[in-house]
Amino acid sequence: MEIVDPITPTDIYEPLCLEAQPNKRRRKKSIVWEHFTLETVGPGCTRACCKLCKKSFAYISGSKLAGTSHLKRHISLGICPVFRQRNLQVPDTPGSRTGGPGTATDPPKKRQRVSQGAARITFDQDRCNREIAKMVILHEYPLHIVEHSGFSDFVRSLQPQFSMLSFDTVQGECVDVYLKEKQNLLNLLSGIHGNVSLTLDLWTSNQTLGYVFLTGHFIDADWNLQRRILNVVTVPSPESDYAFNQAVMACLSDWHLEGRMFTLTVDQSLSNETVIGNLRGLLSVRNPFMLNGQLLIGNCYARVLSRLAQDALGAMRETIQKIRDSVKYVKTSESHEDKFIELKQQLQVPSSKNLLVDDQTMWNTTYHMLVAACELKEVFSCLDTVDPDYKIAPSMEEWKQVETLCTYLKHLFDAALILTDLRYPATNTFFHEVSKIHIELTHAAMSEDPFVSNLIRPLQEKFDKYWKDCYLVLAIAVVLDPRFKMKLVEFNFNKMYDEHAEPWIRAVNDSVHELFLEYIAQALPLPALEEGNEGVIKTETSQDGFQEGNLVSTVDGLSDFEIYINEITSSQHMKSELDQYLEESLLPREHEFDILGWWKLNKLKYPTLSRMASDILSIPVCTVGPDSVFDTELRKMDNYRNSLGPMTLEALICAKDWLQCGLSPSTTNTTATPEISKAIVKMEV
């Protein structure tokens, strides 16, 4: 094949015909021709040849023009081996350029085209390292994924210049992401006006280690309810009476929450009276008591519901096992299922539910299995007529009992379902829901049907204990809902206790007023109080020691006492914020009412009450995440995570939670340094 002299084009968009087109505007010469030459290899066939690696590419074939995109990629993506090698060897600094345009030692930069196209993205190894770390964190990939050959091959196919990471390097990058996000969260916590409530949840492991998850709940400066995992503390002896104290102290110190923790919610099935007493003693020293500590430690609502469901299912264990075996019989054989479906169609059973074998580690799956099976009980009862091998059908009396069981399980399921919402509801949501369950169980426990009363009475007794521990928190929260205030408390207590309701109503009313006075006694400094007129509804009448409603400091050091007296006085001259709030008309009930938005709009009208609402409405009633609400067992840490050091484990779990919450769009604008993370990793190893 004859090779002719190279041709340098003047315009890559020239028409292929030889005739000139004088009216067409000619475009500027493409930058690729500083790296390529054109060679005619035959009639109507021209190829582009790389000046560096001498590889040729299609350019013109007959009447077709291949364009220059593939030529640009050959250079800009580092596909050309000679260009890539020399580009790595010769730093791109002003003093290193010794050749002219197109020389091997210094390939010319691409000229900027303002009119079209995007600027070339420069490869950034550090940015890629951060993105891999975030990928590992968010998707819980093992850290050693970066050393897998398949992963290495895949990444190099995308970017040949990428230098693969080692296990230690990606571990350091993950800790670095954690430290940067932690600083963002510290900044967020420093900007809130209220306190932080904590939940404590325990995970176990095959090595009998305990992992205490401490999650903070608070309302931020923009009145959004926030929930963040703050610490994952490894506890060598979770059964110890002081194990939880260690974890809580670590959290309070780590996040500067001494004196700012409002309540602690735990799963009280994990602890005895000694453990709770130790926690109460610890917190009473480090945090101010509110209402004599009645709000300090709460119980996990999800765990309570789960235990009630397990007790109810356990009471009918043998019957439920019959139904489980029946479902397995149908679902584990295609021929059995075909006979079942055919019989269902013959009997014209209208159920649209699918039979599924339950997962006994999640009680809601057992509930759904029973509900579906009950709707198909006629088919199960007749199945032996078309399938003689089926001999485990429950009796009609057993089916009736299971239907009764499902009626009460539905109350528990509906109550737990609220907790699965990723947008964690404010505390006011739960008073009415918990009241409903209490009423249903109380009535069922007194049923004349011995099966119902025997089934429900043990559940009612356990739930009544939970109710007595939590009703005050839930009732105060609903009082701070302007749609209900004390009216819903009065309504529900009258339904629950009839003529004995008055002491319960009075206890809530007195507690709300006492708590309000405690918030006044906590009082802001006098200048700040004057500016916001904290807690005072002014009147036109002035008293000695006050000027036009403004508080005047005295010189005897009792200015705070004067503030306190001013707020609690029930004289004819002023009315407290709380009294005014309670006397105002209720707001219309709306399904999508934004209670936090309402308090945000009314914080100037009710400055003290709004601070109180910020703390009360963020008290968590549940210690577990939305994905664990129906669990029947404590969650276990897998063997891979067990093998990680405590710092790395905490970094991976917390950083995932923070990244998913979208605390910051970027993890680059913070003060943590790579040196810090590397030091931590080195210490851990």
Side-chain angles (χ1 to χ4, degrees):
M1 182 182 300
E2 182 181 2
I3 305 298
V4 299
D5 293 336
I7 301 173
T8 302
T10 56
D11 191 343
I12 65 168
Y13 297 104
E14 282 183 345
L16 298 181
C17 62
L18 299 178
E19 295 181 358
Q21 296 183 3
N23 294 330
K24 181 172 181 178
R25 182 178 179 182
R26 300 176 65 83
R27 304 188 183 214
K28 293 182 179 180
K29 178 181 175 182
S30 172
I31 192 68
V32 300
W33 303 115
E34 296 180 1
H35 300 276
F36 290 87
T37 59
L38 289 181
E39 299 176 350
T40 302
V41 296
C45 181
T46 303
R47 296 181 68 82
C49 180
C50 177
K51 295 179 180 180
L52 298 177
C53 67
K54 306 305 180 185
K55 185 175 181 179
S56 67
F57 299 85
Y59 182 60
I60 298 175
S61 179
S63 60
K64 296 181 179 179
L65 179 65
T68 60
S69 296
H70 60 309
L71 307 182
K72 293 177 183 177
R73 288 195 294 270
H74 181 70
I75 297 298
S76 63
L77 296 183
I79 299 173
C80 174
V82 178
F83 178 82
R84 181 172 70 250
Q85 184 64 27
R86 295 183 178 179
N87 191 44
L88 292 175
Q89 291 176 354
V90 181
D92 186 16
T93 59
S96 67
R97 295 176 181 168
T98 57
T103 62
T105 57
D106 184 24
K109 289 186 176 181
K110 179 179 176 181
R111 290 197 297 269
Q112 298 296 324
R113 297 178 64 179
V114 180
S115 59
Q116 62 179 5
R120 174 183 169 187
I121 299 176
T122 305
F123 169 67
D124 186 340
Q125 177 77 36
D126 291 338
R127 180 174 178 273
C128 292
N129 291 353
R130 287 193 298 272
E131 292 303 319
I132 286 181
K134 289 168 65 176
M135 176 194 75
V136 168
I137 291 169
L138 286 170
H139 303 289
E140 299 184 8
Y141 295 137
L143 292 171
H144 50 264
I145 189 176
V146 295
E147 297 178 345
H148 292 175
S149 59
F151 181 77
S152 300
D153 293 343
F154 170 68
V155 172
R156 285 201 176 98
S157 71
L158 297 177
Q159 176 50 264
Q161 298 183 49
F162 182 77
S163 297
M164 293 307 302
L165 308 181
S166 66
F167 177 94
D168 291 340
T169 304
V170 75
Q171 181 178 226
E173 291 287 348
C174 289
V175 174
D176 192 29
V177 170
Y178 160 76
L179 291 173
K180 292 173 181 177
E181 290 297 330
K182 182 174 183 177
Q183 185 60 53
N184 289 334
L185 183 52
L186 281 167
N187 294 339
L188 179 63
L189 286 171
S190 67
I192 68 174
H193 302 298
N195 296 307
V196 177
S197 290
L198 297 180
T199 60
L200 186 153
D201 188 34
L202 178 67
W203 287 32
T204 60
S205 71
N206 293 331
Q207 288 77 17
T208 67
L209 292 173
Y211 298 90
V212 178
F213 282 63
L214 286 150
T215 304
H217 300 248
F218 57 94
I219 291 175
D220 64 23
D222 201 35
W223 283 85
N224 296 309
L225 184 58
Q226 303 285 357
R227 174 175 60 179
R228 298 287 191 279
I229 298 176
L230 299 181
N231 292 94
V232 180
V233 182
T234 304
V235 180
S237 302
E239 68 282 354
S240 166
D241 290 343
Y242 291 92
F244 293 164
N245 284 39
Q246 170 194 346
V248 173
M249 287 178 63
C251 180
L252 296 180
S253 174
D254 199 18
W255 295 93
H256 314 301
L257 293 178
E258 292 92 344
R260 296 185 63 198
M261 201 204 80
F262 190 61
T263 64
L264 175 66
T265 304
V266 301
D267 176 6
Q268 293 189 7
S269 67
L270 303 176
S271 54
N272 53 38
E273 292 183 3
T274 302
V275 172
I276 296 299
N278 290 338
L279 282 172
R280 189 178 293 276
L282 169 72
L283 299 176
S284 64
V285 173
R286 297 175 175 268
N287 294 272
F289 261 176
M290 304 298 283
L291 285 181
N292 296 317
Q294 295 180 76
L295 309 181
L296 187 60
I297 297 182
N299 198 356
C300 176
Y301 186 36
R303 298 292 194 195
V304 170
L305 296 175
S306 180
R307 287 195 295 274
L308 295 182
Q310 290 178 78
D311 288 348
L313 293 169
M316 297 185 61
R317 186 178 297 104
E318 294 180 1
T319 302
I320 291 173
Q321 189 59 48
K322 282 186 181 181
I323 295 177
R324 184 179 291 117
D325 291 341
S326 297
V327 174
K328 288 181 180 179
Y329 182 86
V330 171
K331 297 299 293 183
T332 56
S333 168
E334 290 186 5
S335 61
H336 295 169
E337 188 167 17
D338 290 342
K339 292 177 182 178
F340 187 87
I341 293 173
E342 183 179 355
L343 181 59
K344 174 188 173 184
Q345 294 172 345
Q346 291 176 1
L347 296 174
Q348 297 182 348
V349 176
S351 174
S352 60
K353 294 188 180 297
N354 294 322
L355 286 175
L356 292 173
V357 182
D358 64 329
D359 174 0
Q360 295 182 55
T361 65
M362 300 181 68
W363 67 266
N364 61 318
T365 64
T366 305
Y367 165 69
H368 288 310
M369 179 188 72
L370 296 178
V371 170
C374 285
E375 290 194 6
L376 296 164
K377 63 183 179 181
E378 294 179 50
V379 186
F380 280 110
S381 299
C382 299
L383 186 57
D384 59 347
T385 62
V386 296
D387 188 351
D389 293 333
Y390 176 70
K391 300 176 181 179
I392 51 176
S395 67
M396 292 309 295
E397 179 63 24
E398 289 174 322
W399 281 116
K400 181 180 178 181
Q401 291 177 351
V402 171
E403 287 177 331
T404 301
L405 170 66
C406 288
T407 299
Y408 293 98
L409 284 179
K410 186 179 188 306
H411 296 306
L412 304 181
F413 173 77
D414 290 344
L417 199 61
I418 299 173
L419 300 170
T420 63
D421 193 339
L422 294 177
R423 300 169 300 174
Y424 193 81
T427 315
N428 64 299
T429 306
F430 296 98
F431 175 77
H432 187 58
E433 298 300 324
V434 176
S435 299
K436 284 194 303 183
I437 295 178
H438 189 279
I439 292 170
E440 292 291 344
L441 294 180
T442 301
H443 289 170
M446 296 185 295
S447 172
E448 296 181 358
D449 184 337
F451 171 77
V452 173
S453 59
N454 291 334
L455 175 68
I456 302 301
R457 189 177 297 113
L459 310 186
Q460 189 274 333
E461 291 173 356
K462 288 186 177 180
F463 195 79
D464 187 59
K465 183 178 184 305
Y466 169 74
W467 168 254
K468 289 177 180 178
D469 289 339
C470 77
Y471 86 93
L472 194 56
V473 168
L474 303 183
I476 293 175
V478 87
V479 169
L480 294 172
D481 187 331
R483 299 170 298 169
F484 301 118
K485 303 182 182 179
M486 282 296 299
K487 301 303 181 185
L488 185 60
V489 174
E490 296 165 1
F491 175 77
N492 278 6
F493 281 174
N494 281 318
K495 288 176 63 177
M496 296 168 69
Y497 300 111
D498 296 325
E499 68 273 12
H500 304 294
E502 180 57 32
W504 292 86
I505 297 171
R506 186 169 59 252
V508 173
N509 185 67
D510 291 347
S511 296
V512 171
H513 283 80
E514 182 181 344
L515 187 62
F516 176 71
L517 295 182
E518 289 195 51
Y519 271 84
I520 295 172
Q522 283 183 351
L524 296 173
L526 184 60
L529 195 61
E530 289 178 347
E531 179 182 352
N533 193 30
E534 196 81 290
V536 179
I537 305 298
K538 291 185 184 179
T539 64
E540 295 181 357
T541 305
S542 62
Q543 302 178 12
D544 294 337
F546 301 96
Q547 296 179 354
E548 300 299 328
N550 291 326
L551 302 177
V552 179
S553 177
T554 59
V555 295
D556 58 2
L558 292 177
S559 58
D560 288 344
F561 176 74
E562 295 292 340
I563 297 170
Y564 178 73
I565 293 300
N566 177 63
E567 292 297 342
I568 66 174
T569 300
S570 56
S571 67
Q572 60 181 355
H573 300 296
M574 60 182 60
K575 184 181 296 182
S576 74
E577 289 176 33
L578 178 59
D579 290 334
Q580 177 175 313
Y581 167 78
L582 292 175
E583 290 174 8
E584 288 181 347
S585 300
L586 301 180
L587 294 184
R589 276 199 308 122
E590 298 177 4
H591 181 65
E592 296 295 333
F593 177 69
D594 180 7
I595 186 171
L596 300 183
W598 188 89
W599 278 107
K600 178 181 179 181
L601 292 175
N602 289 272
K603 64 182 179 181
L604 295 181
K605 182 178 181 181
Y606 302 115
T608 304
L609 265 184
S610 66
R611 288 193 294 116
M612 180 171 152
S614 175
D615 289 340
I616 293 293
L617 296 178
S618 61
I619 295 177
V621 302
C622 177
T623 65
V624 299
D627 58 338
S628 303
V629 168
F630 295 102
D631 287 358
T632 58
E633 301 174 355
L634 291 181
R635 298 195 69 175
K636 278 196 171 185
M637 197 70 72
D638 58 69
N639 290 333
Y640 162 68
R641 286 188 169 186
N642 273 337
S643 68
L644 300 173
M647 178 63 196
T648 302
L649 176 66
E650 182 176 64
L652 292 174
I653 293 174
C654 292
K656 177 185 177 182
D657 179 67
W658 303 339
L659 290 172
Q660 286 180 329
C661 289
L663 181 59
S664 65
S666 170
T667 58
T668 58
N669 298 324
T670 50
T671 59
T673 63
E675 289 74 19
I676 296 176
S677 66
K678 291 175 183 176
I680 292 174
V681 173
K682 183 176 181 181
M683 175 185 67
E684 200 175 54
V685 174

